[in-house]
Every structure is written in structure tokens, then in C-alpha cells.
Amino acid sequence: MQSGSEIIVIGGGVIGLATAIELRLLGAEVTILCQSFKAAAGHAAAGMLAPQAEQIPAGAMLDLCLASRDLYPKWVQKIESISGVDAGYWQSGILAPRYTDEQGSDWLDTRSIHDRQAGLGESVVGGYWHPADGQVDNRALMRSLLIASQSLGVKFQDGVEVTTIHRSQGRVTHLETSQGEMSAQHYILATGAWSQQLLPLPIVPRKGQMLSVLVPSDRRDNLPLRQVLFGEEIYIVPRQDGRIIIGATSEYVGFAAHNTLQGVDRLMTNAIRLFPSLRDFPIHETWWGFRPATPDELPILGASNDANLTLATGHYRNGILLAPITAKLIADLVWHQQADNLLSSFSWQRFELI
Ligand code: FAD
Ligand code: GLY
């Protein structure tokens, strides 16, 4: 494409914003249409950069995740230098405690894991340490991306829903939106859990409930946790500002809003079992969000059936982690028509539905 080419990104979550910025830096005129910036899963996430703690098996997905984790420090620095907003990137490492003995090659025995982290629950018998995994403050990242995109001249239209993608003869002709018709030379679909409302892609919402507590003010100078704990059906993510994020449920309940007593109860019980002193910490917030889940839990990236529509969706549990690599691969594909080998495993054609 040539400098000044017009691109519409549908969806202004972490993936839409990151991709829009990359394309703008290459010279595109980019507009983002976003039904609700506030509703994006990017705000709801825990911000873990955790290919190893998430136990992603060896293969294309792990390669993609590791490549993105490698890009993170420089990518965040770039976004922060454009926006002036710190995104709270922290290579804190992730400790993965277990309640049953597993004895792998990098297994920490009972004594080693309790030495590494004081205050773990008594029933922790060992675990794994993943020093290269880490975290970003995903809410701060969302702010940083939004401001960076706007200061580069990306037009971000919040509150605009795309209702229909009109197609003819293998091309998108225009979009119908809540604000009238809009068109561009190229379109990128980055609508996360809502993607099936526009195209017959096999993406469903997988709800996650979350809560946060605050480290009591007299303990802020010496935070009780300085690494993420990724336990069994629970994770505990300490932020440097004294918040501790606790997540998450994983529920097939459609787009059902709100926290439930059962969801929050499960989080509190599991968190206290893993790190008992949390029981005295004040609750700060509760919230929920919708992960975009595909049947094989891999994202859908790259070309679609229409020559001028590219797909960047279905990032499920790892969209914060995968934002830098997705933005890079999609921008290279759209702008330079260069399809990186990494993309080949993530085509929509593996489902053959459209
Ligand atoms: P979203 O961030 O959901 O953004 C999609 C946007 O598209 C929304 O703003 C929506 O309003 C807009 N949109 C939808 N339909 C339309 C339409 N028709 N027209 C216009 N706009 C539209 N990932 C990690 O890497 N690490 C984590 O620790 C982590 N923890 C998580 C915890 C929870 C509880 C949840 C829910 C998710 C978590 N994730 C995590 C996953 C991550 O948040 C998602 O994979 C990621 O946010 C997906 O990004 P996205 O931009 O595709 O979608
Ligand atoms: N990656 C953490 C979650 O999706 O809950």
C-alpha cells in the first residue's frame, strides 16, 4: 500500500489499537471504529505475559507467544515514548505453585518454593519458576495505546458500532455503522469476543471474573509479593503501586454481565489458600470481561475471504501478551504484503466456515 492509504480498524481493544499504531507509523491514514472502548477485554485482563506459566505446549502458538514476549520491552518503550504514559511493564517473573508433587526437571521442591516466596499456603508442595515471564499494567497500557494512537493522528471513534460488513466479488465495499456508511481501501477486523456478530468466525465469549485487593498502607514500603503467583485455578498479580489483582474464573455464560457471589467466592477461597495473608487485605474492586475463545484456543490472524479484509482476533487468554507480535505481523501483511511464516498456523481456513 502507499503512504496515505486509508485503513479502517474495526474494534479498538488492545489488538486494534496496537495494529492501528503500527500501520500509522508506516504511513497509513487509520480510523478505528469502536463500539465501546470501556468494554474491551484489554481493560479487564490481568496483564500477565505468561507463555510459560500458561503452559502453552511447544508449537506455533508457543513460538508466537515467545516472539511477542521478546518484543515487549522495546515495544512498550516505543508506545510510552509516543504517549508519555507509563504502561507498568515489569519482568517480575512468575512462580507457579502446586498442591501435588510433579517432579519435573525444573521443579522446585517444597523447601525451595517456600524459600523463594514467604507466606505461601501450607499445602503448597512445590512448583515452577518462570523468570522470563512477567506482566504489564494492562489498564495503563490501554491508556498509553489510546493516547499514542491519537497523538500519531489515528482517528479513534468510540461509540461507533459496525453493524454490517458489505461485500461484493471478493471485496468489502463498505461498512454499515451506527453512524452511517463508511468505507476505506482496507479493513481489519479486531472485534475480540464480539467477532461472530460480524462474520461467521467460531469465536465465543469466555467470561472471566476478577477482583483486586490493596496492600495495607503500612506494608507498601515492603510489598509482600514481588512476583506473580500462578496457582491452580487462581493467579495473584502484584502491581508496583500496591494493588494486587486476583483472577480469574472461566465461564461459558455468553455475554452475561456482572460479578456473581459464586465467582467472587471461588476467587477469594483459592487466593487465600495460595497466599493466606490476603485474607486481611481490603477489597478494592471487582470486575469481569470476555475473552475471545476459538475452538482450538489459538488466534485467527491474516487474510480473509475478501482481498481487502484482514483478520486479527480470537486471542483468548493471551491478547495482552500477543499485542506486539500481532500488530507487527498484521501491519507487515497489510502494508508490505509480507506474510511471515508465523502466520501460517493461524489462518481462519483451519475452520473452513466463512
Ligand atoms: P478486546 O480487548 O475485547 O477489544 C475488542 C473491541 O472491539 C471492544 O472495545 C469492542 O467494543 C469492539 N467491538 C466489538 N464489536 C464491534 C463492532 N461491531 N463495531 C465496533 N467495535 C466493536 N491476556 C493476556 O495476555 N494476559 C492476561 O493476563 C490476560 N488476562 C485476562 C483476564 C481476563 C479476566 C480476561 C477477560 C482476559 C484476559 N486476557 C489476558 C485476554 C485478553 O484480555 C484478550 O485476549 C484481549 O483483550 C483481546 O483483545 P482484542 O483487542 O481482540 O479484544
Ligand atoms: N491469561 C489469564 C486469563 O485469561 O485469565
Side-chain angles (χ1 to χ4, degrees), residues 61-72 321 324-325 342:
M61 178 64 169
L62 183 62
D63 295 345
L64 191 74
C65 289
L66 292 176
S68 207
R69 193 183 65 185
D70 286 349
L71 289 178
Y72 237 94
L321 167 65
I325 193 79
L342 273 174

Side-chain angles (χ1 to χ4, degrees), residues 51-85:
Q52 274 150 345
E54 289 272 0
Q55 294 187 293
I56 294 167
M61 178 64 169
L62 183 62
D63 295 345
L64 191 74
C65 289
L66 292 176
S68 207
R69 193 183 65 185
D70 286 349
L71 289 178
Y72 237 94
K74 279 204 174 135
W75 178 74
V76 163
Q77 220 172 41
K78 176 172 79 178
I79 302 301
E80 289 175 343
S81 72
I82 300 168
S83 67
V85 177

Side-chain angles (χ1 to χ4, degrees), residues 64 301 324-334 338-340 342-343:
L64 191 74
L301 304 175
I325 193 79
T326 301
K328 181 177 170 357
L329 296 181
I330 297 295
D332 284 348
L333 181 67
V334 170
Q338 279 169 7
D340 193 291
L342 273 174
L343 282 174

Side-chain angles (χ1 to χ4, degrees), residues 10-16 33-49 54 142 160-163 190-195 197-198 206-210 235 248-249 288-292 312-322:
I10 310 171
V14 67
I15 298 298
L33 304 178
C34 187
Q35 182 176 10
S36 167
F37 180 61
K38 216 175 102 205
H43 299 285
M48 292 179 293
L49 310 174
E54 289 272 0
M142 290 292 282
V160 179
E161 180 188 5
V162 174
T163 50
T191 41
W194 295 267
S195 299
Q197 294 169 5
L198 286 175
R206 179 87 78 102
K207 182 178 176 181
Q209 299 192 45
M210 304 276 282
Y235 49 74
T249 64
W288 68 92
F290 301 105
R291 305 174 184 89
T313 183
H315 290 74
Y316 188 41
R317 291 179 66 92
N318 293 293
I320 304 294
L321 167 65
L322 290 172

Side-chain angles (χ1 to χ4, degrees), residues 15-316:
I15 298 298
L17 279 165
T19 306
I21 288 172
E22 232 44 60
L23 284 162
R24 178 70 190 136
L25 289 170
L26 289 169
E29 290 292 329
V30 188
T31 299
I32 298 177
L33 304 178
C34 187
Q35 182 176 10
S36 167
F37 180 61
K38 216 175 102 205
H43 299 285
M48 292 179 293
L49 310 174
Q52 274 150 345
E54 289 272 0
Q55 294 187 293
I56 294 167
M61 178 64 169
L62 183 62
D63 295 345
L64 191 74
C65 289
L66 292 176
S68 207
R69 193 183 65 185
D70 286 349
L71 289 178
Y72 237 94
K74 279 204 174 135
W75 178 74
V76 163
Q77 220 172 41
K78 176 172 79 178
I79 302 301
E80 289 175 343
S81 72
I82 300 168
S83 67
V85 177
D86 190 323
Y89 171 74
W90 184 13
Q91 200 197 313
S92 56
I94 299 188
L95 189 65
R98 295 284 184 273
Y99 299 121
T100 48
D101 210 352
E102 291 187 15
Q103 301 280 5
S105 58
D106 47 359
W107 175 253
L108 300 178
D109 63 15
T110 309
R111 181 160 176 194
S112 315
I113 196 158
H114 287 272
D115 281 352
R116 171 160 280 287
Q117 177 62 59
L120 291 176
E122 278 176 7
S123 45
V124 170
V125 298
Y128 299 94
W129 169 234
H130 306 294
D133 280 356
Q135 59 164 296
V136 67
D137 179 342
N138 49 287
R139 289 190 191 171
L141 176 66
M142 290 292 282
R143 259 193 320 278
S144 196
L145 285 167
L146 179 64
I147 291 170
S149 70
Q150 289 172 327
S151 58
L152 288 170
V154 171
K155 296 182 197 80
F156 189 94
Q157 299 194 24
D158 197 13
V160 179
E161 180 188 5
V162 174
T163 50
T164 314
I165 299 177
H166 287 278
R167 305 143 77 196
S168 169
Q169 298 179 331
R171 293 186 69 78
V172 173
T173 53
H174 63 282
L175 305 177
E176 213 159 288
T177 82
S178 51
Q179 307 279 312
E181 290 186 359
M182 298 194 194
S183 61
Q185 282 155 276
H186 201 96
Y187 304 83
I188 295 171
L189 185 88
T191 41
W194 295 267
S195 299
Q196 213 178 68
Q197 294 169 5
L198 286 175
L199 287 181
L201 294 167
I203 295 178
V204 295
R206 179 87 78 102
K207 182 178 176 181
Q209 299 192 45
M210 304 276 282
L211 69 91
S212 61
V213 296
L214 294 176
V215 175
S217 47
D218 58 345
R219 296 179 65 185
R220 290 278 169 88
D221 290 342
N222 187 13
L223 293 177
L225 273 178
R226 299 194 61 80
Q227 57 206 352
V228 175
L229 301 181
F230 198 110
E232 296 176 19
E233 305 205 11
I234 194 76
Y235 49 74
I236 301 174
V237 184
R239 301 279 198 237
Q240 282 166 313
D241 62 7
R243 281 175 299 148
I244 297 182
I245 314 299
I246 297 172
T249 64
S250 187
E251 305 166 60
Y252 280 116
V253 290
F255 286 106
H258 302 300
N259 288 100
T260 60
L261 285 183
Q262 190 183 40
V264 172
D265 176 50
R266 197 175 305 152
L267 295 179
M268 292 194 300
T269 304
N270 289 344
I272 291 170
R273 181 179 184 208
L274 184 57
F275 197 67
S277 64
L278 289 179
R279 67 159 64 87
D280 299 321
F281 289 18
I283 293 176
H284 181 229
E285 254 185 276
T286 58
W287 69 92
W288 68 92
F290 301 105
R291 305 174 184 89
T294 59
D296 57 9
E297 303 184 351
L298 308 184
I300 298 177
L301 304 175
S304 73
N305 246 353
D306 296 296
N308 59 344
L309 173 65
T310 300
L311 308 174
T313 183
H315 290 74
Y316 188 41

